[in-house]
């Protein structure tokens, strides 16, 4: 994948943003040394980028996360180094944003700088097997809510359609029409389709721009 | 396969409630169940239902009281401290014989505790929680699919017996994501001739009240209610048995603890230890029969809980202390690991199943 200076991952709650963020940071690190991943989730106190802290540290990726992430202190806190993401242009960053429009509100203070610099990709993670985004219309409704709250228009889509442990190659293939319809209706390009790495080989000759995921176990 | 969706346990409860015909939800946000309210806030306005974020849990349960009085399917949800706040309203609803569904996605306690999963509201759920002589039908799901299935079952039982049902889940069940089939067979809602829906000048007034001015009448109501409870204990008890036919060590566990224990039972069997699992699905009424039956061949029971040991008392009562019952537990938001449960099984086996 080619990465802009800032890659923002947004989407419906539970669409898979955090797993993709961690995997993209690993991928980016191979291309660019000064890679940062930021956990800017102000909605969900569980399943955080910070859960993958050890893996990220081992890979030499700097993690920007609230000191309260993953603790019992359930408050919508932003990390104190959040402005370094926009101020320090020597880094390339993957930003993991909380779910839905409420999660995207966290972008408020960063959005003007990100837009002004103009070197970003704002990606919407979609999963047709999530009950509230099962078709293009409902997915685009969520997309518009996120854009409105976050103040940054989307530039692309990631199809992460999956059924958890019951995901098969066919489950992914059955989502292709949906993803293409969302792309058509929104006018946004499909940047990649993400699949758990065990399905990668089976699907690599069937789908273009396939991105393999190593799923991050929850640490605690 | 294709008609399955990937859901969080909390979302599965909300969607199942809507499918069951619930069009009224009142609640107040608290981790780890807030997704139920968020889901209802999104869905209810689109289907002509009511979502209302009340000013407090106390307000929410009294709104539930109101809608239940009018004979409509209604629910509220909260987590441990919030359920304590609802206690008064729950008792009033019990005293008024009103149906409704209460969801408790438990977190660590006591007090404000923490946001990690727990099962330490077992006593509160199965013994009442509010004041007075009453029970709730308490259902304990152990998968996201069961979060949905038991929500529907809860509404049906509540209407059938004109009393409240509670889903007693925990933070893990609420937050975990699994594929779910939402293809439900919904029975028609029963008539509710007792509901306060307006007399149309055609019938006497229906009165919903939990106040009795005559003690003899109040006693009579309590006796009648307990006859109903006995009938429920006879007809509605649910449980799952796993590898219990020849078990010498039997685990008792519900919800997330049962999932962990099942893995431990499998590992124990690989090592040649005859372990099994009894998983109560209704916590009230408690499934006494499988424990009494198991005591014939089991040498020791192990109660695996995310609490300081609450269900263990029901296990001892159910098997009438014929075999020793030990506790394998974590508390405060921590979850026993399969390795920890396996070690408890091995310890029991080493001791010949005796203490």
């Amino acid at each position: 994948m080619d990465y802009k200076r800032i890659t923002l991952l947004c989407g419906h709650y539970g669409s898979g943003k955090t797993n993709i963020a961690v995997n993209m940071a690993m991928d980016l690190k191979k291309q660019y040394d000064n890679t940062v991943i930021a956990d800017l989730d102000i909605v969900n106190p569980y399943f955080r980028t910070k859960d993958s802290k050890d893996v990220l540290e081992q890979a030499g990726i700097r993690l920007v996360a609230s000191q309260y992430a993953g603790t019992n202190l359930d408050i919508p806190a932003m990390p104190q180094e959040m402005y370094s993401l926009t101020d320090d242009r020597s880094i390339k960053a993957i930003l993991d944003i909380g779910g839905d429009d409420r999660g995207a509100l966290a972008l408020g203070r960063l959005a003007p700088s990100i837009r002004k610099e103009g070197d970003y990709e704002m990606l919407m993670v979609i999963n047709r097997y999530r009950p509230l985004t099962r078709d293009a219309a409902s997915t685009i409704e969520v997309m518009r809510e996120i854009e409105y709250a976050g103040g940054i228009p989307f530039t692309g889509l990631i199809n992460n359609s999956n059924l958890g442990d019951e995901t098969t190659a066919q489950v992914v293939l059955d989502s292709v029409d949906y993803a293409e319809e969302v792309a058509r209706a929104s006018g946004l390009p499909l940047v990649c389709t993400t699949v758990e790495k065990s399905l990668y080989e089976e699907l690599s000759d069937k789908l273009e721009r396939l991105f393999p995921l190593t799923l991050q176990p929850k640490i605690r | 396969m294709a008609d399955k969706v990937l859901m969080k346990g909390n979302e599965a409860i909300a969607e199942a409630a809507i499918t069951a015909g619930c069009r009224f939800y009142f609640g107040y946000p608290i981790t780890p169940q807030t997704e139920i309210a968020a889901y209802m806030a999104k869905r209810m306005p689109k289907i002509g239902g009511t979502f209302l974020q009340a000013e407090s849990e106390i307000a929410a349960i009294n709104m539930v009281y109101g809608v239940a009085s009018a004979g409509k399917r209604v629910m509220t949800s909260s987590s441990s401290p919030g359920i304590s706040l609802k206690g008064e309203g729950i008792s009033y609803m019990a005293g008024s014989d009103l149906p409704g569904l209460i969801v408790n996605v438990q977190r660590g306690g006591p007090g404000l505790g923490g946001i990690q999963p727990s099962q330490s509201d077992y006593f509160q759920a199965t013994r009442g929680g509010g004041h007075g002589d009453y029970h709730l039908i308490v259902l304990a799901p152990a998968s996201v699919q069961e979060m949905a299935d038991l929500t529907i079952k809860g509404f049906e039982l509540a209407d059938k017996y004109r009393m409240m049902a509670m889903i007693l889940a925990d933070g893990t069940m609420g937050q975990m994501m699994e594929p779910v089939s939402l293809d439900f067979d919904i029975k028609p809602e029963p008539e509710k001739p007792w509901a306060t829906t307006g007399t149309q000048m055609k019938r006497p007034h229906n009165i919903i009240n939990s106040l009795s001015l005559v003690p003899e009448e109040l006693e009579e109501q309590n006796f009648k209610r307990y006859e109903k409870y006995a009938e429920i204990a006879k007809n509605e008890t649910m449980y799952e048995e796993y590898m219990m036919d020849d078990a010498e060590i039997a685990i008792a566990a519900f919800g997330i603890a049962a999932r962990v224990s099942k893995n431990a039972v499998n590992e124990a069997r690989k090592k040649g230890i005859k372990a099994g699992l009894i998983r109560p699905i209704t916590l009230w009424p408690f499934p006494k029969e499988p424990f009494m039956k198991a005591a014939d061949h089991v040498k020791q029971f192990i109660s695996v809980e995310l609490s300081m040991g609450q269900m263990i008392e029901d296990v001892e009562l159910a098997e009438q202390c014929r075999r020793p019952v030990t506790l394998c537990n974590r508390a405060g938001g921590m979850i026993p690991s399969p390795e920890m449960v396996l070690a408890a099984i091995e310890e029991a086996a080493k001791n010949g199943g005796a203490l």
Side-chain angles (χ1 to χ4, degrees):
Chain A
M1 286 247 320
D2 294 330
Y3 294 91
K4 296 283 173 74
R5 202 184 72 69
I6 289 180
T7 305
L8 301 110
L9 293 168
C10 292
H12 179 42
Y13 198 67
S15 56
K17 298 173 293 294
T18 298
N19 258 308
I20 295 172
V22 172
N23 279 275
M24 280 195 163
M26 297 288 196
D27 186 47
L28 173 58
K29 174 75 183 174
K30 289 179 207 151
Q31 309 170 20
Y32 191 82
D33 190 50
N34 201 358
T35 291
V36 172
I37 186 168
D39 177 346
L40 301 184
D41 193 337
I42 54 166
V43 180
N44 188 353
Y46 311 100
F47 311 114
R48 300 285 292 258
T49 305
K50 201 176 177 182
D51 294 334
S52 302
K53 191 167 175 271
D54 296 345
V55 187
L56 292 163
E57 270 174 8
Q58 263 169 32
I61 298 166
R62 184 158 71 92
L63 168 68
V64 171
S66 159
Q67 60 182 307
Y68 305 119
T71 73
N72 263 342
L73 192 57
D74 178 17
I75 54 170
M78 295 294 279
Q80 57 213 19
E81 317 104 287
M82 65 180 266
Y83 289 111
S84 70
L85 300 169
T86 47
D87 291 352
D88 180 0
R89 294 192 179 182
S90 71
I91 61 172
K92 282 199 177 187
I94 308 286
L95 273 52
D96 178 19
I97 313 299
D100 288 346
D101 47 345
R102 287 159 298 146
L105 277 177
L107 285 174
R109 292 297 289 276
L110 293 175
S113 317
I114 292 173
R115 280 209 317 269
K116 195 174 162 201
E117 184 192 351
D119 191 5
Y120 69 89
E121 192 91 79
M122 169 88 168
L123 301 176
M124 167 92 178
V125 181
I126 61 175
N127 178 359
R128 76 157 283 217
Y129 299 101
R130 293 282 292 139
L132 296 186
T133 57
R134 296 204 71 181
D135 54 36
S138 56
T139 306
I140 286 171
E141 187 185 319
V142 174
M143 188 184 292
R144 296 297 172 235
E145 288 168 359
I146 292 172
E147 282 180 333
Y148 185 73
I152 304 179
F154 280 106
T155 60
L157 302 169
I158 295 176
N159 180 18
N160 185 46
S161 293
N162 74 88
L163 263 179
D165 290 346
E166 292 183 22
T167 310
T168 60
Q170 195 56 46
V171 165
V172 179
L173 291 171
D174 285 345
S175 73
V176 169
D177 285 353
Y178 155 82
E180 283 173 354
E181 201 187 326
V182 176
R184 225 177 2 255
S186 63
L188 295 173
L190 189 60
V191 172
C192 62
T193 300
T194 42
V195 292
E196 205 270 320
K197 63 177 183 230
S198 64
L199 294 174
Y200 183 78
E201 209 150 293
E202 195 178 345
L203 286 165
S204 57
D205 59 342
K206 297 191 180 76
L207 290 174
E208 289 172 15
R209 296 183 299 280
L210 206 56
F211 187 93
L213 295 180
T214 303
L215 299 188
Q216 303 302 304
K218 180 142 171 61
I219 300 231
R220 77 172 48 241
Chain B
M1 183 74 81
D3 53 0
K4 279 195 176 179
V5 287
L6 184 65
M7 295 186 102
K8 280 194 171 231
N10 286 334
E11 296 170 337
I13 284 178
E15 185 59 40
I18 289 168
T19 311
C22 171
R23 289 296 178 273
F24 298 89
Y25 172 91
F26 308 101
Y28 187 83
I30 178 170
T31 306
Q33 63 79 54
T34 302
E35 294 85 4
I36 300 177
Y39 198 92
M40 289 300 197
K42 260 207 149 73
R43 289 275 277 128
M44 281 299 197
K46 290 181 180 165
I47 53 172
T50 297
F51 162 85
L52 202 149
Q53 180 173 324
E55 69 269 35
S56 73
E57 286 86 349
I58 297 169
I61 191 68
N62 282 290
M63 292 172 189
V64 171
Y65 188 124
V67 170
S69 303
K72 298 292 183 190
R73 282 194 168 164
V74 56
M75 77 180 273
T76 185
S77 62
S78 192
S79 179
S80 309
I83 297 292
S84 293
L85 275 171
K86 290 182 201 287
E88 181 196 56
I90 294 171
S91 171
Y92 277 50
M93 285 184 72
S96 308
D97 298 305
L98 290 173
L101 188 74
I102 303 157
V103 178
N104 182 2
V105 185
Q106 300 163 89
R107 50 189 262 171
L112 207 45
I115 62 171
Q116 298 301 333
S118 166
Q119 297 181 328
S120 53
D121 302 346
Y122 180 93
F123 281 152
Q124 186 193 47
T126 57
R127 268 60 177 173
H131 57 281
D133 284 313
Y134 76 93
H135 280 294
L136 311 172
I137 295 168
V138 183
L139 304 164
S143 68
V144 176
Q145 185 68 55
E146 272 192 0
M147 290 285 258
D149 295 348
L150 292 179
T151 294
I152 287 169
K153 183 85 182 168
F155 276 111
E156 286 174 355
L157 289 175
D159 277 349
K160 182 174 172 188
Y161 292 103
R162 223 183 128 177
M163 65 184 282
M164 277 168 297
M166 173 181 274
I167 303 286
L168 190 69
D170 65 75
T172 328
M173 285 294 129
Q175 294 297 323
M176 71 192 297
M177 289 178 88
E178 285 181 334
V180 181
S181 163
L182 294 173
D183 188 15
F184 300 115
D185 181 22
I186 306 289
K187 294 181 197 136
E189 279 182 53
E191 296 286 314
K192 293 174 180 171
W194 48 264
T196 52
T197 51
T199 64
Q200 315 298 324
M201 309 297 269
K202 284 175 188 155
R203 59 161 172 81
H205 290 283
N206 284 338
I207 296 168
I208 305 284
N209 195 2
S210 70
L211 173 68
S212 291
L213 297 179
V214 183
E216 286 82 357
E217 284 177 13
L218 181 55
E219 182 189 47
E220 182 57 25
Q221 286 170 20
N222 274 285
F223 282 152
K224 272 202 170 142
R225 213 166 278 132
Y226 271 68
E227 282 167 24
K228 178 170 77 181
Y229 293 161
E231 193 190 332
I232 295 168
K234 207 173 79 189
N235 297 331
E236 309 293 352
T237 304
M238 292 189 285
Y239 58 89
E240 180 198 351
E241 284 179 304
Y242 182 68
M243 301 223 172
M244 278 304 297
D245 285 348
D246 62 345
E248 291 178 356
I249 312 287
I251 305 263
F254 65 96
I256 184 68
R259 285 173 75 120
V260 171
S261 298
K262 211 176 232 182
N263 289 329
V265 166
N266 289 337
E267 290 307 310
R269 286 273 170 178
K270 280 183 205 160
K271 295 185 170 204
I273 303 170
K274 287 180 179 165
L277 166 72
I278 302 173
R279 173 171 77 93
I281 299 172
T282 50
L283 300 179
W284 192 91
F286 191 79
K288 292 181 180 168
E289 189 224 314
F291 289 98
M292 200 54 177
K293 200 177 70 185
D296 290 341
H297 53 87
V298 157
K299 291 180 179 145
Q300 184 176 324
F301 291 94
I302 304 170
S303 192
V304 180
E305 304 184 47
L306 278 69
S307 74
M308 290 310 294
Q310 301 193 8
M311 184 179 71
I312 188 171
E313 294 188 6
D314 278 336
V315 176
E316 286 169 338
L317 283 170
E319 54 104 26
Q320 298 183 356
C321 298
R322 287 169 61 202
R323 306 291 175 196
V325 189
T326 55
L327 179 66
C328 172
N329 69 318
R330 298 292 303 267
M334 302 305 291
I335 306 174
S337 65
E339 293 75 23
M340 180 184 174
V341 179
L342 179 62
I345 294 173
E346 286 179 312
E347 181 68 17
K350 202 163 62 193
N351 297 341
L355 277 177

